[in-house]
Amino acid sequence: MADTENRPTNFIRNIIDGDLASGKHASTHTRFPPEPNGFLHIGHAKSICLNFGIAQDYKGLCNLRFDDTNPEKEDIDYVNSIQEDVKWLGFEWDGEICYSSNYFDKLYSYAVELIEKGLAYVCFLSPEQAREYRGTLTEPGKNSPHRDTSPEENLALFEKMKNGEFKEGECVLRAKIDMASSFMVLRDPIIYRIRFVHHHQTGDKWCIYPMYDFTHCISDALEGITHSLCTLEFQDNRRLYDWVLENISIECQPQQIEFSRLNLEYTVMSKRKLNDLVVNGQVEGWDDPRMPTIAGLRRRGYTPASIREFCKRIGITKQDNMVEMGMLEACIRDDLNENAPRAMAVLDPVKIVIENYDADQVEMLSAPNHPTLEMGERELPFTREIFIEREDFRVEANKKFKRLVLGKEVRLRNAYVIKAERIEEDDAGNITTIYCTYDADTLGKNPADGRKVKGVIHWVSASHCIEAEVRQYDRLFNVPNPAAAEDFATTLNPDSLVVIANAKLEPSLAKANAEQGFQFERLGYYSRDNKSEALTFNQTVGLRDSWAKIEKA
Ligand code: ATP
Ligand code: MG
């Protein structure tokens, strides 16, 4: 047995444990089968962690297979981004990448086998007629007039389909199962259709393409998959999955098991909807940091470990539910709280002049990179002029306001205690400068004077800070379930992105690596953008859960 500590338990793993114990299987072989018609999203991460996680824990194998039977919607860019995302999440697939399109020749010969057995036929009903013949959930369907064409004739017709002798939509190949079945998927489902389109892998070799239900089970069997894990909407399709494998000459009989898909509040999880957002310019691309895509979360500052942790926390069940955004955010907050170095940044600056500090003096103060963990130190230049956050100063305030108040003292994080003496305002009454004095004896964590100054605020040197663009994000949609809206685009949050063009940052941040996360003290977690040439930081998540507040508002 593999090491069982720290392993999740769920009903799928229980089935696998049973299959290994009974000797039904000697080892596990799973697969992750995305269709390359968009970028992967956090829902796919759930499936990736499940499939690759099982392979890791049971010392089994997991394939990456592109389920590429819809060439119109697919693209090689998606093929590439999906590989990148799976690797970034920390998983490795077994051997070469698989493509359903690699099996087009074999799939074709299995279709021929079904025709020869009298279990498939070429049907010339128009789509409207076919709909009428299909029946409804309460009424059985009717047999197609082409259902009893002889195998010989069907073989010739299918050959002609393959050779491009029919027009698109003129005919299809259907499995001959049962037009009265209570499972609609068994009412003579289409297994091949004609499409005169170029395929990103097979070029112009084919003008007939197999349908998902026919392709998926055979691909699983050809790859020796033991457990074919998919989401609940494929429950009925399992009948067809099993029917196909029982009726062709193939050894392996993988078991399809369904689990509930991930739904996350305040976002959408369908690739079609995500594609709409991209195409309509409502976001900057598939990797926009507001998108629930893996690439978007990555750019936002999520780490692979935080996403894996999220998938662990949500677990695997058969219950459909909606997961709160706060749950995803808690995972990255926990990660960064522990692993992100601290830094100081001022987003809405107001200038402070420390009148008793020399104009040409620059002191390099050292500051720990983490309050509790050993993460080294960095230098902070301290100068006569500094910036603090505008909201950290008030002319008057009660005791609850533990920041800088006119006539009172506050401690500058990692530096001195200062006292606000007077202010200067512009004609409109906006404060332009706060004049202060500092106390040279108050440097360090335990100042010798024992003075009790409750408030601590962050700051940067006005002359030595660097400027950067900081992007503040809010939820992309205004409602918990945008997919339920008639037009989901009407529920977009118009304020989901606020760009601060000239935030003031401590100089050490100039060396930040792309995707490196920091806690900007007292503000939240930020990560250096991985696309912009100029120094740019994306807000990853706030210091505290802000979602609970939204619910009540
Ligand atoms: P979408 O609705 O986003 O287009 P899909 O099911 O069409 O999703 P695929 O590329 O076919 O996308 O998905 C690949 C694998 O990921 C499938 O096994 C699918 O069941 C799984 N998957 C997709 N979305 C989710 C989700 N929200 N939660 C869990 N698994 C998912
Ligand atoms: Mg799918």
Side-chain angles (χ1 to χ4, degrees):
M1 278 304 283
D3 137 52
T4 49
E5 254 179 73
N6 274 325
R7 272 166 44 164
T9 53
N10 56 54
F11 75 98
I12 295 179
R13 284 171 180 252
N14 291 344
I15 294 173
I16 292 175
D17 288 336
D19 289 348
L20 294 175
S22 73
K24 178 177 174 188
H25 297 297
S27 60
T28 64
H29 200 156
T30 49
R31 85 289 171 263
F32 172 62
E35 184 181 351
N37 61 350
F39 276 53
L40 297 182
H41 52 60
I42 183 78
H44 292 113
K46 176 176 179 176
S47 177
I48 291 170
C49 290
L50 174 65
N51 282 293
F52 285 96
I54 285 172
Q56 277 178 350
D57 290 345
Y58 289 90
K59 304 206 177 355
L61 303 172
C62 183
N63 292 0
L64 173 62
R65 182 199 314 145
F66 288 104
D67 203 342
D68 54 348
T69 55
N70 278 313
E72 298 97 320
K73 294 193 185 135
E74 297 164 4
D75 196 281
I76 191 74
D77 288 344
Y78 298 136
V79 169
N80 294 331
S81 76
I82 288 169
Q83 294 176 50
E84 165 102 18
D85 289 348
V86 172
K87 280 191 267 183
W88 180 77
L89 278 173
F91 296 107
E92 263 174 70
W93 49 87
D94 176 52
E96 297 282 299
I97 289 171
C98 305
Y99 295 86
S100 296
S101 55
N102 285 348
Y103 314 132
F104 281 174
D105 285 306
K106 285 183 178 148
L107 288 161
Y108 181 82
S109 56
Y110 286 121
V112 167
E113 181 182 351
L114 287 180
I115 296 172
E116 284 168 348
K117 289 178 169 166
L119 292 174
Y121 61 96
V122 176
C123 181
F124 291 84
L125 290 180
S126 69
E128 298 75 45
Q129 288 171 319
R131 208 169 305 128
E132 201 188 300
Y133 274 69
R134 195 175 301 127
T136 64
L137 285 173
T138 49
E139 276 175 49
K142 279 191 304 190
N143 286 351
S144 157
H146 311 284
R147 201 174 198 260
D148 293 318
T149 312
S150 71
E152 295 68 36
E153 209 174 321
N154 276 315
L155 283 175
L157 289 170
F158 190 46
E159 172 84 20
K160 283 175 87 175
M161 271 175 75
K162 184 182 86 155
N163 293 339
E165 292 174 45
F166 294 115
K167 291 196 294 289
E168 234 175 77
E170 197 175 348
C171 55
V172 293
L173 185 71
R174 295 175 72 176
K176 187 169 169 180
I177 309 179
D178 179 6
M179 288 307 291
S181 173
S182 57
F183 296 103
M184 298 298 279
V185 293
L186 295 185
R187 293 189 185 174
D188 291 11
I190 298 174
I191 56 176
Y192 262 94
R193 70 225 191 291
I194 300 169
R195 286 281 182 280
F196 289 95
V197 286
H198 186 85
H199 189 287
H200 51 100
Q201 303 297 324
T202 57
D204 295 313
K205 176 172 175 194
W206 296 89
C207 66
I208 52 170
Y209 290 98
M211 300 299 283
Y212 170 86
D213 282 317
F214 183 68
T215 310
H216 201 80
C217 53
I218 297 177
S219 306
D220 280 347
L222 289 171
E223 291 173 16
I225 301 303
T226 54
H227 300 87
S228 177
L229 314 177
C230 65
T231 39
L232 282 177
E233 67 275 18
F234 291 101
Q235 222 156 358
D236 284 357
N237 303 61
R238 185 176 69 236
R239 324 288 152 165
L240 182 50
Y241 185 105
D242 291 339
W243 183 91
V244 171
L245 294 183
E246 275 157 25
N247 286 288
I248 59 174
S249 312
I250 204 158
E251 196 80 3
C252 173
Q253 297 278 329
Q255 180 184 3
Q256 177 181 309
I257 308 171
E258 309 89 19
F259 62 95
S260 63
R261 58 195 298 123
L262 168 68
N263 300 303
L264 194 58
E265 283 186 346
Y266 294 98
T267 191
V268 290
M269 210 77 90
S270 115
K271 282 185 278 188
R272 188 180 55 75
K273 290 195 172 75
L274 295 173
N275 187 49
D276 283 352
L277 295 175
V278 174
V279 170
N280 298 330
Q282 282 145 335
V283 294
E284 284 162 22
W286 284 96
D287 63 353
D288 186 299
R290 291 165 294 180
M291 292 280 268
T293 51
I294 307 289
L297 290 166
R298 174 177 180 176
R299 222 179 136 192
R300 178 84 173 249
Y302 277 74
T303 59
S306 68
I307 295 177
R308 292 195 304 263
E309 174 64 20
F310 172 70
C311 293
K312 197 165 155 190
R313 290 188 195 174
I314 56 174
I316 299 289
T317 68
K318 273 189 179 286
Q319 244 73 54
D320 261 322
N321 66 351
M322 189 64 117
V323 174
E324 287 172 15
M325 193 57 105
M327 194 146 160
L328 176 60
E329 293 192 345
C331 295
I332 186 62
R333 193 181 292 114
D334 290 354
D335 180 338
L336 295 178
N337 180 37
E338 182 137 339
N339 298 311
R342 274 47 176 170
M344 292 200 284
V346 175
L347 302 185
D348 181 19
V350 63
K351 186 178 276 187
I352 283 194
V353 176
I354 302 167
E355 290 182 290
N356 60 342
Y357 197 89
D358 255 5
D360 34 52
Q361 190 178 348
V362 181
E363 255 177 292
M364 294 311 263
L365 308 179
S366 71
N369 288 327
H370 197 281
T372 53
L373 302 174
E374 192 40 65
M375 224 181 252
E377 299 194 324
R378 66 200 194 273
E379 293 206 310
L380 292 173
F382 188 80
T383 51
R384 175 182 163 96
E385 298 197 353
I386 62 173
F387 290 118
I388 65 165
E389 220 64 71
R390 190 167 282 277
E391 62 165 30
D392 282 342
F393 175 77
R394 296 228 182 122
V395 174
E396 277 177 278
N398 64 21
K399 280 203 181 108
K400 277 193 198 151
F401 186 78
K402 293 198 177 60
R403 304 180 233 170
L404 185 61
V405 179
L406 194 59
K408 305 234 166 75
E409 291 187 327
V410 80
R411 177 175 298 282
L412 295 174
R413 181 90 173 134
N414 300 309
Y416 300 98
V417 170
I418 57 167
K419 181 177 177 189
E421 307 285 358
R422 63 194 167 88
I423 57 170
E424 201 168 84
E425 292 173 331
D426 64 13
D427 294 343
N430 301 311
I431 296 169
T432 50
T433 311
I434 305 163
Y435 291 91
C436 296
T437 51
Y438 90 114
D439 183 339
D441 292 330
T442 54
L443 186 62
K445 278 183 196 155
N446 299 304
D449 62 2
R451 185 201 262 102
K452 285 206 172 64
V453 178
K454 287 244 176 64
V456 182
I457 62 173
H458 60 276
W459 58 277
V460 296
S461 159
S463 51
H464 288 63
C465 69
I466 52 170
E467 290 199 335
E469 180 174 308
V470 171
R471 298 178 188 156
Q472 302 276 83
Y473 296 107
D474 196 355
R475 57 208 160 127
L476 185 52
F477 293 94
N478 277 325
V479 297
N481 187 8
E486 197 165 314
D487 175 6
F488 80 105
T490 60
T491 67
L492 277 164
N493 173 10
D495 305 315
S496 57
L497 167 64
V498 174
V499 176
I500 299 168
N502 296 306
K504 317 285 187 192
L505 273 47
E506 67 165 79
S508 72
L509 287 167
K511 298 193 299 279
N513 295 322
E515 295 175 14
Q516 191 182 356
F518 295 88
Q519 185 191 96
F520 286 179
E521 296 207 52
R522 300 181 60 238
L523 296 175
Y525 295 98
Y526 290 79
S527 150
R528 178 156 186 189
D529 192 62
N530 61 15
K531 258 188 158 171
S532 318
E533 288 272 333
L535 193 63
T536 302
F537 285 85
N538 293 309
Q539 179 193 35
T540 310
V541 68
L543 292 175
R544 275 167 287 280
D545 185 6
S546 57
W547 294 88
K549 232 173 22 208
I550 291 170
E551 301 295 314
K552 289 192 195 93

